[in-house]
Amino acid sequence: MIGDRGWQTHKVDPEHFQALVEGAGDERAIAALWASERSWRLLALRDLIDACATVDGVAGPLPSVDMAWQLLTEASKSSPATTEEVLAQPQVGIWVAHTLRRLVTAASQGHDEPPDLPPLWADVGYLHALAAASAVRAGITFELDVPVRFGTAVLPTVGAAAVHAGRDVVRVSAAGGTVQVDGSATWHPPVRIEVTAGGVPVRIELVDRDVYRDLRGPSPPRPATGAEVEQWRATLGEAWELLVREQADRVGAIAATVRTITPLPHEERFRPLSASGAEAFGGMLLSEPDDALQLAVTLVHEVQHQKLGALLHLFTLFEDGRGLRGYAPWRDDPRPVGGLVQGVYAFAGITAFWRTHRAAAAAGPLAEFEFALWRRQTLRVLATLRGSAQLTDDGRTFVAALSDTVAALQHDRVSSSAEEAARRMANDHHALWRVANVVVGADVGPRLAAAWRRGGTPPADLLAESDTVLAGPPFGGFDARAVLLRHRLTDPAGFARLTAGMHPRPVVFGATAGDVALIAGDAELARREYRAYLDQDVADIRSLVGLGLALPEGDEATRALLGRPELVLAAGRHAPRQLLDLAAWLGRMLPEPGTAGRAQWHVAQP
Amino acid sequence: MYETSAGIESELLDLSTVNVATLRAVELTRLDAAIQRVRARIADAGGSISGFSGSFWHDAPAPGTRHEDRAV
């Protein structure tokens, strides 16, 4: 198609599109995404440069934007490949997006920004740093002032200078590829890691000092220690060996996509932190992984987000959700349609990873459980999306193809114990999500409690599905019992120590002694624990749902505690000592947990 | 999806013939609609981020923008 202004649009090879939807895609498909991301980046850069012209004094004490752009242009003419490489860095996309938002605000409100933000020129001046970095790599002789942020002057892909205190600007000079930064105390070259397995290399840069390495905005350097770098190198090496050995169809796409990792501190075991951003193709934030297996599956996970982010620049797959939210089993808060689409694509990749990994000789019961869990959860959300009016025609094509892929995985045989554990953990998270997020009318609880006391059947409107959810920040910890199960599956001895009286909370946030008993298989003890917690606080939602899991299958109270826990809580507040009787009464009128119900909710108005 | 012999038509302008040296010389009206689409996506800062563990107990560590010591 030729655009209405005479431009061609990117064409996507149908085979590449199909491969990306159904699997990993290959190096050629990823190369095409890099090409389209280049167009996206140039459009954003052009918008940023034009926006700079709308704000007086936008460069502050630095040379003008035009001067910086002139140097960048000289570098591009002298060494186009290296300049393209600098501009393609993931952190450049984060910077463009952040700074463009500030420029738009500044142009519309004058300079009336929050006083605690750094001056606008400090962000604009990253252009000067990009120009300087490109010029150094092109071997150009020049001098240019660049901003100092958090005591550091960064030249992307070239290095970073820690600068003596009290300076906001430093002069960079270079000749013949040798760079000098005035006022520099120490110089830090980029931290690059390359590992190879089976003849397949992967090269990444650990971005630890660049102010734009975090997707959410500028952040101070967090220099990686030598030990941390070596740990990353070793873990990446092991993870890459695993991926090359087991996921041959994915490693080409991963190696072609990933350019930078922004390292974050280690998180709780089985709860890594990872993130990707559509404006930062090729870059990802990762907490230090537990082990190589976790890093391998996280790379698969994040590369899925990367690919979809690039596809979303090419195609509009969904429209604004207009305040609608849905259930996402990987989040504790209700998610808009865009979040659901990102999630199903990422977890389709994760499911495929575990499917292959569980066949490996060293894989234990964890792989079996993860495969059973995520194939179920991903298919559930795909069912929601198939009914979503927010999908465009292209979005429906995408979701239909992905649904076929994930549906096919449901036929694989899985051990009955893994399937059962997956079903219970899925019910657990869904019930917690409901009781925390689904809004129940203020009159529903007292009216239900009154109907129960009368011993009759409640009016039908009291059992009707609420159409409203909260949209606050995530509660956190709804995966606590699933995390405990992962401990049990991978480290039975360590889990046994938890059952020997140690309070689990320091090990697994959100977990209680009742949870440990439940996961250990002692349902009777778990019931006692949960009831004791609920006697103290009927609104202890984790115990409310835990009680539902600890009761015998088929129990009428279970049906209510897992299927409509928000109703149990609403009514239970008015009869806290008779919670189980009330739940059983409600359960007699409700379908089994997991029965399809409402798929999307409106966001509650504050 | 609209497919031709060249492939599936996307909505993104192909700037493969443009580089840094020529980018600012392109007449803005030829890029206007494409830039508006880019700007609309970028305006939603949080919407473009995916993958933070949403089931953990604390918010992800916040960037340090608002605590930057500056000489001026």
mmCIF file of all heavy atoms in Angstrom, chain A residues 12-14 16-22 308 311 315-318 341 344-345 382 385-388 390-406, chain B residues 1-3 8-9 11:
data_model
loop_
_atom_site.group_PDB
_atom_site.id
_atom_site.type_symbol
_atom_site.label_atom_id
_atom_site.label_comp_id
_atom_site.label_asym_id
_atom_site.label_seq_id
_atom_site.Cartn_x
_atom_site.Cartn_y
_atom_site.Cartn_z
ATOM 1 N N VAL A 12 4.667 -7.343 5.514
ATOM 2 C CA VAL A 12 5.089 -8.458 6.369
ATOM 3 C C VAL A 12 4.908 -9.757 5.598
ATOM 4 O O VAL A 12 3.807 -10.040 5.089
ATOM 5 C CB VAL A 12 4.275 -8.486 7.673
ATOM 6 C CG1 VAL A 12 4.685 -9.675 8.537
ATOM 7 C CG2 VAL A 12 4.477 -7.179 8.444
ATOM 8 N N ASP A 13 5.966 -10.523 5.525
ATOM 9 C CA ASP A 13 5.906 -11.826 4.861
ATOM 10 C C ASP A 13 4.893 -12.707 5.609
ATOM 11 O O ASP A 13 5.029 -12.911 6.827
ATOM 12 C CB ASP A 13 7.313 -12.460 4.909
ATOM 13 C CG ASP A 13 7.380 -13.770 4.143
ATOM 14 O OD1 ASP A 13 6.386 -14.526 4.168
ATOM 15 O OD2 ASP A 13 8.431 -14.044 3.532
ATOM 16 N N PRO A 14 3.884 -13.224 4.907
ATOM 17 C CA PRO A 14 2.874 -14.052 5.603
ATOM 18 C C PRO A 14 3.487 -15.235 6.358
ATOM 19 O O PRO A 14 3.001 -15.610 7.423
ATOM 20 C CB PRO A 14 1.968 -14.527 4.460
ATOM 21 C CG PRO A 14 2.159 -13.545 3.366
ATOM 22 C CD PRO A 14 3.580 -13.068 3.473
ATOM 23 N N HIS A 16 6.416 -15.246 7.772
ATOM 24 C CA HIS A 16 6.995 -14.697 9.003
ATOM 25 C C HIS A 16 5.899 -14.461 10.037
ATOM 26 O O HIS A 16 6.057 -14.784 11.222
ATOM 27 C CB HIS A 16 7.704 -13.367 8.727
ATOM 28 C CG HIS A 16 8.960 -13.519 7.937
ATOM 29 N ND1 HIS A 16 9.686 -12.446 7.485
ATOM 30 C CD2 HIS A 16 9.632 -14.624 7.522
ATOM 31 C CE1 HIS A 16 10.740 -12.876 6.820
ATOM 32 N NE2 HIS A 16 10.729 -14.186 6.829
ATOM 33 N N PHE A 17 4.794 -13.880 9.584
ATOM 34 C CA PHE A 17 3.703 -13.586 10.518
ATOM 35 C C PHE A 17 3.191 -14.869 11.151
ATOM 36 O O PHE A 17 3.023 -14.954 12.379
ATOM 37 C CB PHE A 17 2.568 -12.854 9.791
ATOM 38 C CG PHE A 17 1.437 -12.464 10.694
ATOM 39 C CD1 PHE A 17 1.512 -11.308 11.468
ATOM 40 C CD2 PHE A 17 0.304 -13.257 10.797
ATOM 41 C CE1 PHE A 17 0.475 -10.962 12.322
ATOM 42 C CE2 PHE A 17 -0.739 -12.917 11.642
ATOM 43 C CZ PHE A 17 -0.650 -11.753 12.404
ATOM 44 N N GLN A 18 2.956 -15.866 10.316
ATOM 45 C CA GLN A 18 2.438 -17.134 10.834
ATOM 46 C C GLN A 18 3.435 -17.757 11.811
ATOM 47 O O GLN A 18 3.053 -18.272 12.864
ATOM 48 C CB GLN A 18 2.171 -18.088 9.666
ATOM 49 C CG GLN A 18 1.236 -19.234 10.014
ATOM 50 C CD GLN A 18 -0.179 -18.762 10.310
ATOM 51 O OE1 GLN A 18 -0.552 -17.655 9.950
ATOM 52 N NE2 GLN A 18 -0.948 -19.578 11.013
ATOM 53 N N ALA A 19 4.709 -17.699 11.449
ATOM 54 C CA ALA A 19 5.728 -18.290 12.325
ATOM 55 C C ALA A 19 5.807 -17.551 13.655
ATOM 56 O O ALA A 19 5.985 -18.166 14.710
ATOM 57 C CB ALA A 19 7.085 -18.261 11.627
ATOM 58 N N LEU A 20 5.660 -16.239 13.614
ATOM 59 C CA LEU A 20 5.725 -15.470 14.854
ATOM 60 C C LEU A 20 4.530 -15.759 15.746
ATOM 61 O O LEU A 20 4.645 -15.803 16.972
ATOM 62 C CB LEU A 20 5.785 -13.970 14.539
ATOM 63 C CG LEU A 20 7.110 -13.469 13.960
ATOM 64 C CD1 LEU A 20 6.962 -12.053 13.407
ATOM 65 C CD2 LEU A 20 8.207 -13.506 15.018
ATOM 66 N N VAL A 21 3.369 -15.960 15.153
ATOM 67 C CA VAL A 21 2.178 -16.227 15.956
ATOM 68 C C VAL A 21 2.240 -17.644 16.536
ATOM 69 O O VAL A 21 1.955 -17.862 17.713
ATOM 70 C CB VAL A 21 0.894 -16.055 15.116
ATOM 71 C CG1 VAL A 21 -0.329 -16.463 15.942
ATOM 72 C CG2 VAL A 21 0.767 -14.617 14.648
ATOM 73 N N GLU A 22 2.624 -18.587 15.710
ATOM 74 C CA GLU A 22 2.563 -19.987 16.135
ATOM 75 C C GLU A 22 3.780 -20.432 16.936
ATOM 76 O O GLU A 22 3.717 -21.407 17.668
ATOM 77 C CB GLU A 22 2.424 -20.887 14.907
ATOM 78 C CG GLU A 22 1.100 -20.693 14.183
ATOM 79 C CD GLU A 22 1.003 -21.533 12.937
ATOM 80 O OE1 GLU A 22 2.029 -22.131 12.535
ATOM 81 O OE2 GLU A 22 -0.092 -21.584 12.359
ATOM 82 N N LEU A 308 5.887 -9.138 20.057
ATOM 83 C CA LEU A 308 4.531 -8.606 19.965
ATOM 84 C C LEU A 308 4.553 -7.075 19.980
ATOM 85 O O LEU A 308 3.757 -6.429 19.283
ATOM 86 C CB LEU A 308 3.660 -9.147 21.109
ATOM 87 C CG LEU A 308 2.205 -8.703 21.067
ATOM 88 C CD1 LEU A 308 1.554 -9.038 19.728
ATOM 89 C CD2 LEU A 308 1.403 -9.349 22.199
ATOM 90 N N LEU A 311 5.206 -6.127 16.526
ATOM 91 C CA LEU A 311 4.028 -6.385 15.681
ATOM 92 C C LEU A 311 2.945 -5.331 15.915
ATOM 93 O O LEU A 311 2.244 -4.930 14.983
ATOM 94 C CB LEU A 311 3.468 -7.785 15.976
ATOM 95 C CG LEU A 311 4.235 -8.967 15.378
ATOM 96 C CD1 LEU A 311 3.655 -10.291 15.873
ATOM 97 C CD2 LEU A 311 4.189 -8.928 13.848
ATOM 98 N N PHE A 315 0.751 -3.354 13.259
ATOM 99 C CA PHE A 315 -0.685 -3.612 13.128
ATOM 100 C C PHE A 315 -1.411 -3.141 14.387
ATOM 101 O O PHE A 315 -0.893 -3.275 15.494
ATOM 102 C CB PHE A 315 -0.961 -5.112 12.949
ATOM 103 C CG PHE A 315 -0.272 -5.727 11.767
ATOM 104 C CD1 PHE A 315 0.878 -6.494 11.932
ATOM 105 C CD2 PHE A 315 -0.760 -5.540 10.486
ATOM 106 C CE1 PHE A 315 1.521 -7.072 10.840
ATOM 107 C CE2 PHE A 315 -0.120 -6.110 9.392
ATOM 108 C CZ PHE A 315 1.016 -6.869 9.563
ATOM 109 N N THR A 316 -2.624 -2.661 14.206
ATOM 110 C CA THR A 316 -3.483 -2.362 15.353
ATOM 111 C C THR A 316 -4.325 -3.607 15.613
ATOM 112 O O THR A 316 -5.209 -3.940 14.820
ATOM 113 C CB THR A 316 -4.389 -1.157 15.046
ATOM 114 O OG1 THR A 316 -3.557 -0.032 14.743
ATOM 115 C CG2 THR A 316 -5.264 -0.826 16.253
ATOM 116 N N LEU A 317 -4.019 -4.289 16.700
ATOM 117 C CA LEU A 317 -4.711 -5.545 16.991
ATOM 118 C C LEU A 317 -5.929 -5.339 17.884
ATOM 119 O O LEU A 317 -6.795 -6.201 17.973
ATOM 120 C CB LEU A 317 -3.755 -6.549 17.653
ATOM 121 C CG LEU A 317 -2.525 -6.966 16.836
ATOM 122 C CD1 LEU A 317 -1.738 -8.038 17.580
ATOM 123 C CD2 LEU A 317 -2.929 -7.474 15.455
ATOM 124 N N PHE A 318 -5.967 -4.207 18.592
ATOM 125 C CA PHE A 318 -7.111 -3.962 19.488
ATOM 126 C C PHE A 318 -7.303 -2.464 19.636
ATOM 127 O O PHE A 318 -6.377 -1.673 19.435
ATOM 128 C CB PHE A 318 -6.892 -4.607 20.866
ATOM 129 C CG PHE A 318 -5.542 -4.312 21.453
ATOM 130 C CD1 PHE A 318 -5.288 -3.131 22.136
ATOM 131 C CD2 PHE A 318 -4.507 -5.229 21.305
ATOM 132 C CE1 PHE A 318 -4.029 -2.865 22.663
ATOM 133 C CE2 PHE A 318 -3.244 -4.964 21.816
ATOM 134 C CZ PHE A 318 -3.009 -3.781 22.502
ATOM 135 N N VAL A 341 -3.721 -9.452 25.674
ATOM 136 C CA VAL A 341 -3.092 -9.899 24.422
ATOM 137 C C VAL A 341 -1.604 -10.141 24.651
ATOM 138 O O VAL A 341 -1.045 -11.162 24.225
ATOM 139 C CB VAL A 341 -3.326 -8.861 23.302
ATOM 140 C CG1 VAL A 341 -2.498 -9.208 22.068
ATOM 141 C CG2 VAL A 341 -4.799 -8.800 22.931
ATOM 142 N N VAL A 344 -1.226 -13.473 26.769
ATOM 143 C CA VAL A 344 -1.439 -14.774 26.121
ATOM 144 C C VAL A 344 -0.289 -15.099 25.169
ATOM 145 O O VAL A 344 0.110 -16.267 25.047
ATOM 146 C CB VAL A 344 -2.791 -14.860 25.371
ATOM 147 C CG1 VAL A 344 -3.945 -14.874 26.347
ATOM 148 C CG2 VAL A 344 -2.940 -13.753 24.338
ATOM 149 N N TYR A 345 0.243 -14.073 24.531
ATOM 150 C CA TYR A 345 1.354 -14.347 23.605
ATOM 151 C C TYR A 345 2.600 -14.770 24.392
ATOM 152 O O TYR A 345 3.283 -15.728 24.036
ATOM 153 C CB TYR A 345 1.638 -13.118 22.754
ATOM 154 C CG TYR A 345 2.621 -13.385 21.633
ATOM 155 C CD1 TYR A 345 2.364 -14.347 20.666
ATOM 156 C CD2 TYR A 345 3.808 -12.670 21.549
ATOM 157 C CE1 TYR A 345 3.262 -14.604 19.649
ATOM 158 C CE2 TYR A 345 4.712 -12.906 20.527
ATOM 159 C CZ TYR A 345 4.442 -13.879 19.581
ATOM 160 O OH TYR A 345 5.341 -14.129 18.583
ATOM 161 N N LEU A 382 -7.401 -16.739 26.295
ATOM 162 C CA LEU A 382 -7.702 -16.687 24.855
ATOM 163 C C LEU A 382 -9.209 -16.793 24.624
ATOM 164 O O LEU A 382 -9.751 -16.147 23.713
ATOM 165 C CB LEU A 382 -6.959 -17.812 24.124
ATOM 166 C CG LEU A 382 -5.477 -17.506 23.851
ATOM 167 C CD1 LEU A 382 -4.712 -18.776 23.495
ATOM 168 C CD2 LEU A 382 -5.340 -16.474 22.731
ATOM 169 N N LEU A 385 -10.548 -13.418 25.117
ATOM 170 C CA LEU A 385 -10.221 -12.515 24.011
ATOM 171 C C LEU A 385 -11.053 -12.811 22.768
ATOM 172 O O LEU A 385 -11.408 -11.887 22.027
ATOM 173 C CB LEU A 385 -8.725 -12.610 23.688
ATOM 174 C CG LEU A 385 -7.800 -11.910 24.682
ATOM 175 C CD1 LEU A 385 -6.342 -12.254 24.392
ATOM 176 C CD2 LEU A 385 -8.005 -10.399 24.619
ATOM 177 N N ARG A 386 -11.345 -14.087 22.546
ATOM 178 C CA ARG A 386 -12.125 -14.411 21.347
ATOM 179 C C ARG A 386 -13.492 -13.740 21.382
ATOM 180 O O ARG A 386 -14.080 -13.473 20.339
ATOM 181 C CB ARG A 386 -12.275 -15.932 21.203
ATOM 182 C CG ARG A 386 -11.014 -16.608 20.693
ATOM 183 C CD ARG A 386 -11.319 -17.990 20.098
ATOM 184 N NE ARG A 386 -11.985 -18.863 21.041
ATOM 185 C CZ ARG A 386 -11.362 -19.620 21.932
ATOM 186 N NH1 ARG A 386 -10.052 -19.616 21.998
ATOM 187 N NH2 ARG A 386 -12.037 -20.392 22.758
ATOM 188 N N GLY A 387 -13.972 -13.441 22.590
ATOM 189 C CA GLY A 387 -15.263 -12.767 22.693
ATOM 190 C C GLY A 387 -15.154 -11.272 22.867
ATOM 191 O O GLY A 387 -16.161 -10.600 23.118
ATOM 192 N N SER A 388 -13.955 -10.737 22.752
ATOM 193 C CA SER A 388 -13.770 -9.316 23.026
ATOM 194 C C SER A 388 -14.132 -8.464 21.818
ATOM 195 O O SER A 388 -13.648 -8.693 20.707
ATOM 196 C CB SER A 388 -12.308 -9.043 23.411
ATOM 197 O OG SER A 388 -12.089 -7.653 23.489
ATOM 198 N N GLN A 390 -13.171 -5.515 21.557
ATOM 199 C CA GLN A 390 -12.085 -4.551 21.353
ATOM 200 C C GLN A 390 -11.079 -5.008 20.293
ATOM 201 O O GLN A 390 -10.247 -4.221 19.863
ATOM 202 C CB GLN A 390 -11.331 -4.294 22.668
ATOM 203 C CG GLN A 390 -12.044 -3.342 23.613
ATOM 204 C CD GLN A 390 -13.188 -4.029 24.306
ATOM 205 O OE1 GLN A 390 -13.011 -5.031 24.959
ATOM 206 N NE2 GLN A 390 -14.387 -3.489 24.142
ATOM 207 N N LEU A 391 -11.138 -6.283 19.905
ATOM 208 C CA LEU A 391 -10.190 -6.745 18.887
ATOM 209 C C LEU A 391 -10.569 -6.177 17.518
ATOM 210 O O LEU A 391 -11.742 -6.103 17.164
ATOM 211 C CB LEU A 391 -10.191 -8.270 18.808
ATOM 212 C CG LEU A 391 -9.636 -9.042 20.006
ATOM 213 C CD1 LEU A 391 -9.640 -10.535 19.703
ATOM 214 C CD2 LEU A 391 -8.235 -8.581 20.377
ATOM 215 N N THR A 392 -9.563 -5.792 16.769
ATOM 216 C CA THR A 392 -9.772 -5.411 15.373
ATOM 217 C C THR A 392 -9.821 -6.682 14.522
ATOM 218 O O THR A 392 -9.606 -7.792 15.028
ATOM 219 C CB THR A 392 -8.613 -4.531 14.883
ATOM 220 O OG1 THR A 392 -7.408 -5.314 14.959
ATOM 221 C CG2 THR A 392 -8.453 -3.282 15.743
ATOM 222 N N ASP A 393 -10.054 -6.526 13.232
ATOM 223 C CA ASP A 393 -10.021 -7.702 12.352
ATOM 224 C C ASP A 393 -8.654 -8.380 12.423
ATOM 225 O O ASP A 393 -8.555 -9.607 12.492
ATOM 226 C CB ASP A 393 -10.324 -7.283 10.908
ATOM 227 C CG ASP A 393 -11.796 -6.934 10.721
ATOM 228 O OD1 ASP A 393 -12.606 -7.293 11.609
ATOM 229 O OD2 ASP A 393 -12.126 -6.297 9.704
ATOM 230 N N ASP A 394 -7.594 -7.560 12.395
ATOM 231 C CA ASP A 394 -6.247 -8.129 12.501
ATOM 232 C C ASP A 394 -6.067 -8.821 13.853
ATOM 233 O O ASP A 394 -5.422 -9.870 13.948
ATOM 234 C CB ASP A 394 -5.186 -7.035 12.339
ATOM 235 C CG ASP A 394 -5.086 -6.537 10.901
ATOM 236 O OD1 ASP A 394 -5.687 -7.170 10.017
ATOM 237 O OD2 ASP A 394 -4.410 -5.520 10.682
ATOM 238 N N GLY A 395 -6.624 -8.223 14.890
ATOM 239 C CA GLY A 395 -6.529 -8.811 16.218
ATOM 240 C C GLY A 395 -7.240 -10.148 16.293
ATOM 241 O O GLY A 395 -6.745 -11.103 16.914
ATOM 242 N N ARG A 396 -8.385 -10.238 15.634
ATOM 243 C CA ARG A 396 -9.110 -11.513 15.635
ATOM 244 C C ARG A 396 -8.321 -12.576 14.887
ATOM 245 O O ARG A 396 -8.283 -13.739 15.307
ATOM 246 C CB ARG A 396 -10.501 -11.317 15.021
ATOM 247 C CG ARG A 396 -11.527 -10.802 16.022
ATOM 248 C CD ARG A 396 -12.931 -10.787 15.440
ATOM 249 N NE ARG A 396 -13.123 -9.664 14.538
ATOM 250 C CZ ARG A 396 -13.415 -8.424 14.936
ATOM 251 N NH1 ARG A 396 -13.557 -8.172 16.228
ATOM 252 N NH2 ARG A 396 -13.562 -7.448 14.078
ATOM 253 N N THR A 397 -7.671 -12.180 13.804
ATOM 254 C CA THR A 397 -6.829 -13.134 13.066
ATOM 255 C C THR A 397 -5.705 -13.640 13.964
ATOM 256 O O THR A 397 -5.408 -14.841 14.024
ATOM 257 C CB THR A 397 -6.233 -12.446 11.819
ATOM 258 O OG1 THR A 397 -7.300 -12.004 10.989
ATOM 259 C CG2 THR A 397 -5.338 -13.404 11.039
ATOM 260 N N PHE A 398 -5.073 -12.706 14.676
ATOM 261 C CA PHE A 398 -3.961 -13.051 15.565
ATOM 262 C C PHE A 398 -4.427 -13.995 16.684
ATOM 263 O O PHE A 398 -3.811 -15.036 16.938
ATOM 264 C CB PHE A 398 -3.383 -11.755 16.158
ATOM 265 C CG PHE A 398 -2.261 -11.947 17.124
ATOM 266 C CD1 PHE A 398 -0.952 -12.071 16.680
ATOM 267 C CD2 PHE A 398 -2.501 -11.999 18.492
ATOM 268 C CE1 PHE A 398 0.086 -12.247 17.573
ATOM 269 C CE2 PHE A 398 -1.472 -12.171 19.392
ATOM 270 C CZ PHE A 398 -0.173 -12.290 18.930
ATOM 271 N N VAL A 399 -5.519 -13.632 17.332
ATOM 272 C CA VAL A 399 -6.003 -14.428 18.471
ATOM 273 C C VAL A 399 -6.480 -15.804 18.007
ATOM 274 O O VAL A 399 -6.259 -16.811 18.688
ATOM 275 C CB VAL A 399 -7.117 -13.663 19.222
ATOM 276 C CG1 VAL A 399 -7.864 -14.583 20.189
ATOM 277 C CG2 VAL A 399 -6.515 -12.485 19.981
ATOM 278 N N ALA A 400 -7.122 -15.851 16.842
ATOM 279 C CA ALA A 400 -7.593 -17.154 16.341
ATOM 280 C C ALA A 400 -6.412 -18.090 16.075
ATOM 281 O O ALA A 400 -6.447 -19.274 16.443
ATOM 282 C CB ALA A 400 -8.408 -16.951 15.067
ATOM 283 N N ALA A 401 -5.357 -17.554 15.463
ATOM 284 C CA ALA A 401 -4.191 -18.390 15.171
ATOM 285 C C ALA A 401 -3.507 -18.829 16.461
ATOM 286 O O ALA A 401 -3.102 -19.998 16.607
ATOM 287 C CB ALA A 401 -3.212 -17.624 14.282
ATOM 288 N N LEU A 402 -3.399 -17.924 17.404
ATOM 289 C CA LEU A 402 -2.764 -18.275 18.680
ATOM 290 C C LEU A 402 -3.619 -19.291 19.438
ATOM 291 O O LEU A 402 -3.092 -20.208 20.081
ATOM 292 C CB LEU A 402 -2.556 -17.004 19.510
ATOM 293 C CG LEU A 402 -1.652 -17.118 20.720
ATOM 294 C CD1 LEU A 402 -0.244 -17.544 20.315
ATOM 295 C CD2 LEU A 402 -1.578 -15.774 21.466
ATOM 296 N N SER A 403 -4.926 -19.136 19.361
ATOM 297 C CA SER A 403 -5.824 -20.082 20.035
ATOM 298 C C SER A 403 -5.639 -21.488 19.484
ATOM 299 O O SER A 403 -5.622 -22.466 20.241
ATOM 300 C CB SER A 403 -7.284 -19.643 19.861
ATOM 301 O OG SER A 403 -7.521 -18.419 20.504
ATOM 302 N N ASP A 404 -5.514 -21.591 18.165
ATOM 303 C CA ASP A 404 -5.304 -22.911 17.564
ATOM 304 C C ASP A 404 -4.017 -23.544 18.097
ATOM 305 O O ASP A 404 -3.967 -24.739 18.399
ATOM 306 C CB ASP A 404 -5.212 -22.782 16.035
ATOM 307 C CG ASP A 404 -6.567 -22.451 15.413
ATOM 308 O OD1 ASP A 404 -7.590 -22.593 16.110
ATOM 309 O OD2 ASP A 404 -6.581 -22.026 14.247
ATOM 310 N N THR A 405 -2.974 -22.707 18.199
ATOM 311 C CA THR A 405 -1.687 -23.215 18.684
ATOM 312 C C THR A 405 -1.800 -23.718 20.120
ATOM 313 O O THR A 405 -1.332 -24.817 20.453
ATOM 314 C CB THR A 405 -0.626 -22.100 18.613
ATOM 315 O OG1 THR A 405 -0.511 -21.663 17.264
ATOM 316 C CG2 THR A 405 0.721 -22.585 19.106
ATOM 317 N N VAL A 406 -2.429 -22.926 20.968
ATOM 318 C CA VAL A 406 -2.520 -23.289 22.387
ATOM 319 C C VAL A 406 -3.518 -24.427 22.597
ATOM 320 O O VAL A 406 -3.305 -25.302 23.453
ATOM 321 C CB VAL A 406 -2.883 -22.046 23.227
ATOM 322 C CG1 VAL A 406 -3.099 -22.421 24.691
ATOM 323 C CG2 VAL A 406 -1.783 -20.996 23.114
ATOM 324 N N MET B 1 -6.650 -9.071 7.509
ATOM 325 C CA MET B 1 -5.355 -8.599 7.026
ATOM 326 C C MET B 1 -5.366 -8.547 5.512
ATOM 327 O O MET B 1 -5.852 -9.475 4.863
ATOM 328 C CB MET B 1 -4.237 -9.508 7.516
ATOM 329 C CG MET B 1 -4.005 -9.371 9.007
ATOM 330 S SD MET B 1 -2.699 -10.412 9.629
ATOM 331 C CE MET B 1 -2.344 -9.555 11.148
ATOM 332 N N TYR B 2 -4.845 -7.464 4.981
ATOM 333 C CA TYR B 2 -4.841 -7.281 3.540
ATOM 334 C C TYR B 2 -3.499 -7.755 3.001
ATOM 335 O O TYR B 2 -2.445 -7.249 3.374
ATOM 336 C CB TYR B 2 -5.070 -5.811 3.212
ATOM 337 C CG TYR B 2 -5.090 -5.531 1.728
ATOM 338 C CD1 TYR B 2 -6.055 -6.098 0.901
ATOM 339 C CD2 TYR B 2 -4.137 -4.705 1.157
ATOM 340 C CE1 TYR B 2 -6.067 -5.844 -0.456
ATOM 341 C CE2 TYR B 2 -4.138 -4.443 -0.196
ATOM 342 C CZ TYR B 2 -5.108 -5.025 -1.004
ATOM 343 O OH TYR B 2 -5.104 -4.776 -2.339
ATOM 344 N N GLU B 3 -3.566 -8.740 2.131
ATOM 345 C CA GLU B 3 -2.350 -9.361 1.639
ATOM 346 C C GLU B 3 -2.213 -9.145 0.141
ATOM 347 O O GLU B 3 -3.180 -9.308 -0.607
ATOM 348 C CB GLU B 3 -2.401 -10.861 1.961
ATOM 349 C CG GLU B 3 -1.079 -11.565 1.831
ATOM 350 C CD GLU B 3 -1.170 -13.002 2.335
ATOM 351 O OE1 GLU B 3 -1.884 -13.268 3.313
ATOM 352 O OE2 GLU B 3 -0.516 -13.873 1.718
ATOM 353 N N ILE B 8 1.815 -8.958 3.677
ATOM 354 C CA ILE B 8 0.679 -8.393 4.411
ATOM 355 C C ILE B 8 0.923 -6.897 4.605
ATOM 356 O O ILE B 8 1.989 -6.487 5.075
ATOM 357 C CB ILE B 8 0.529 -9.078 5.789
ATOM 358 C CG1 ILE B 8 0.391 -10.594 5.630
ATOM 359 C CG2 ILE B 8 -0.662 -8.507 6.539
ATOM 360 C CD1 ILE B 8 0.486 -11.357 6.948
ATOM 361 N N GLU B 9 -0.064 -6.113 4.217
ATOM 362 C CA GLU B 9 0.072 -4.663 4.376
ATOM 363 C C GLU B 9 0.029 -4.292 5.852
ATOM 364 O O GLU B 9 -0.876 -4.692 6.573
ATOM 365 C CB GLU B 9 -1.081 -3.952 3.661
ATOM 366 C CG GLU B 9 -1.070 -4.102 2.161
ATOM 367 C CD GLU B 9 0.028 -3.282 1.507
ATOM 368 O OE1 GLU B 9 0.704 -2.520 2.211
ATOM 369 O OE2 GLU B 9 0.204 -3.438 0.282
ATOM 370 N N GLU B 11 0.506 -1.003 8.883
ATOM 371 C CA GLU B 11 0.124 0.403 9.018
ATOM 372 C C GLU B 11 1.342 1.312 9.192
ATOM 373 O O GLU B 11 1.193 2.522 9.336
ATOM 374 C CB GLU B 11 -0.803 0.560 10.228
ATOM 375 C CG GLU B 11 -2.059 -0.275 10.145
ATOM 376 C CD GLU B 11 -2.767 -0.360 11.488
ATOM 377 O OE1 GLU B 11 -2.974 0.678 12.135
ATOM 378 O OE2 GLU B 11 -3.096 -1.499 11.894
#
